[in-house]
Amino acid sequence: METLLYLVRRLLQALAVILIVTIVVFCLLHALPGGPARGILGPQATAQQIAAFNHEQGLDRSLPVQYVLYLRDLVQGDLGTSYTLNEAVSRLIEQRLPKTLVLTVLSALVGLLLAVPLGMWQAVRRNKPADYVITTLSFVAYSTPVYFLGLILVMLFTQALRWFPSQAPQGDTLAQVFADPAGLVLPVVTGAASMVAVFSRYMRASTLENLSEDYVRTARAGGAGRYAVLFRHVFRNSLTPVVAMLGYYVPVLFGGALVVEQLFNYPGMGLLFWSAAQSSDYPVLLGCVLVISVATVVGSLLADVVQRVVDPRVKEVRV
């Protein structure tokens, strides 16, 4: 019962945050220079045309009424129409989002598969030369801009060694993306690099903390081997803060995807956002912001749920 109440509270909190996000996006839409009508019709539109458009779209009503209509459209999946592409924003995001999810999920998986064992290995070999070397490399990887790292990988693996193509897989479907796995390597590695640096540090610190706990000394005194204690007891307990951090890393993954997709010309939502920013296509920009914000809230919620399952002692609701 206590776990159920915890999940209900977290769900209600997530819904409240999403509602606040919709209010912010709604305010941004109405803060556009000249208003939404001017942005859609262009600078050459006359006052009569703008007035007619506002009346047709309900933009001459009071802001509370407009917000209710905006929520109604959101529930129906209507995010507006792109100024430059003359296509529904929801349709554009529907086409691009799956490819961005493929890129971010693969980057996250590669990052975790490398960071978790690397962090544990550092903890076991604490203050040894290998620990210092990996720590230094982690700081360098974390402080290196994603765009600069991607350029280095391109020059090394596409120009010098010619192992991988410089352009990510093209196409409108996921089948076309997966048809060129070699083209995914560099974008995924670029997106995973900073994640390895961050999560290996978290895993190292969490493992060191658990290695100093009483249950570890008790298990060792009972005759359990070093690696048996490490993998049977310490590993699971050390994953708790890493799992919690993963949900809050969602916006970082999407932000990195924006740079990676632009660098490798990957046709995902990040490249859509980048192109919209270049052409001041505000409905697309705000639609992407809304989707990413909702994904961040959902990621935080899922992280808390998984953390509660992994460690039932978690009782506090995150703010």
Side-chain angles (χ1 to χ4, degrees), residues 127-189:
N127 296 331
K128 299 292 180 60
D131 182 29
Y132 290 129
V133 171
I134 295 176
T135 297
T136 302
L137 293 176
S138 297
F139 283 132
V140 171
Y142 180 72
S143 60
T144 302
V146 176
Y147 195 84
F148 182 70
L149 176 62
L151 286 177
I152 293 177
L153 293 178
V154 168
M155 289 187 294
L156 178 61
F157 291 104
T158 68
Q159 303 298 323
L161 299 177
R162 300 184 182 276
W163 288 357
F164 304 106
S166 59
Q167 183 171 263
Q170 303 297 301
D172 297 329
T173 65
L174 290 181
Q176 292 173 311
V177 172
F178 286 116
D180 183 19
L184 282 173
V185 173
L186 292 184
V188 169
V189 171

Side-chain angles (χ1 to χ4, degrees), residues 7-309:
L7 298 179
V8 171
R9 288 195 300 267
R10 285 296 294 117
L11 180 60
L12 293 176
Q13 184 187 18
L15 292 175
V17 173
I18 291 176
L19 185 63
I20 294 174
V21 169
T22 62
I23 294 175
V24 172
V25 173
F26 175 79
C27 293
L28 289 174
L29 181 62
H30 285 73
L32 298 177
R38 177 66 68 184
I40 294 175
L41 299 179
Q44 305 301 323
T46 64
Q48 293 79 6
Q49 290 174 326
I50 291 178
F53 180 87
N54 287 337
H55 180 72
E56 180 183 350
Q57 300 296 323
L59 297 174
D60 54 354
R61 301 185 183 183
S62 64
L63 287 179
V65 173
Q66 290 186 51
Y67 177 68
V68 172
L69 295 177
Y70 173 71
L71 285 182
R72 182 199 64 185
D73 292 339
L74 287 183
V75 172
Q76 296 175 352
D78 185 2
L79 298 176
T81 303
S82 169
Y83 297 165
T84 57
L85 300 176
N86 195 28
E87 190 173 353
V89 175
S90 58
R91 175 61 178 167
L92 293 173
I93 293 178
E94 180 184 349
Q95 293 173 345
R96 304 293 188 95
L97 182 58
K99 286 173 278 191
T100 296
L101 289 177
V102 167
L103 179 62
T104 54
V105 168
L106 287 177
S107 298
L109 287 176
V110 171
L112 287 177
L113 289 175
L114 293 175
V116 170
L118 192 61
M120 291 188 66
W121 188 69
Q122 283 186 264
V124 172
R125 302 186 63 83
R126 180 186 182 186
N127 296 331
K128 299 292 180 60
D131 182 29
Y132 290 129
V133 171
I134 295 176
T135 297
T136 302
L137 293 176
S138 297
F139 283 132
V140 171
Y142 180 72
S143 60
T144 302
V146 176
Y147 195 84
F148 182 70
L149 176 62
L151 286 177
I152 293 177
L153 293 178
V154 168
M155 289 187 294
L156 178 61
F157 291 104
T158 68
Q159 303 298 323
L161 299 177
R162 300 184 182 276
W163 288 357
F164 304 106
S166 59
Q167 183 171 263
Q170 303 297 301
D172 297 329
T173 65
L174 290 181
Q176 292 173 311
V177 172
F178 286 116
D180 183 19
L184 282 173
V185 173
L186 292 184
V188 169
V189 171
T190 303
S194 62
M195 189 172 184
V196 173
V198 172
F199 280 82
S200 64
R201 300 300 299 167
Y202 272 96
M203 193 64 188
R204 178 184 182 276
S206 181
T207 303
L208 286 175
E209 180 180 353
N210 280 277
L211 285 174
S212 63
E213 294 291 339
D214 292 336
Y215 75 87
V216 173
R217 289 190 288 269
T218 301
R220 293 297 301 274
R226 181 181 183 183
Y227 289 101
V229 173
L230 187 65
F231 289 106
R232 292 180 184 176
H233 305 287
V234 175
F235 174 69
R236 178 179 178 180
N237 292 330
S238 300
L239 278 181
T240 302
V242 175
V243 171
M245 184 62 186
L246 184 60
Y248 299 103
Y249 208 74
V250 170
V252 179
L253 288 173
F254 275 98
L258 189 153
V259 178
V260 172
E261 290 181 12
Q262 191 275 333
L263 176 62
F264 293 98
N265 194 31
Y266 182 78
M269 198 170 72
L271 185 59
L272 176 67
F273 185 91
W274 180 276
S275 301
Q278 301 301 309
S279 59
S280 299
D281 196 341
Y282 297 112
V284 174
L285 291 174
L286 295 179
C288 291
V289 168
L290 181 63
V291 170
I292 293 173
S293 301
V294 172
T296 301
V297 174
V298 173
S300 174
L301 175 63
L302 292 177
D304 284 346
V305 171
V306 173
Q307 186 182 16
R308 183 60 185 253
V309 172

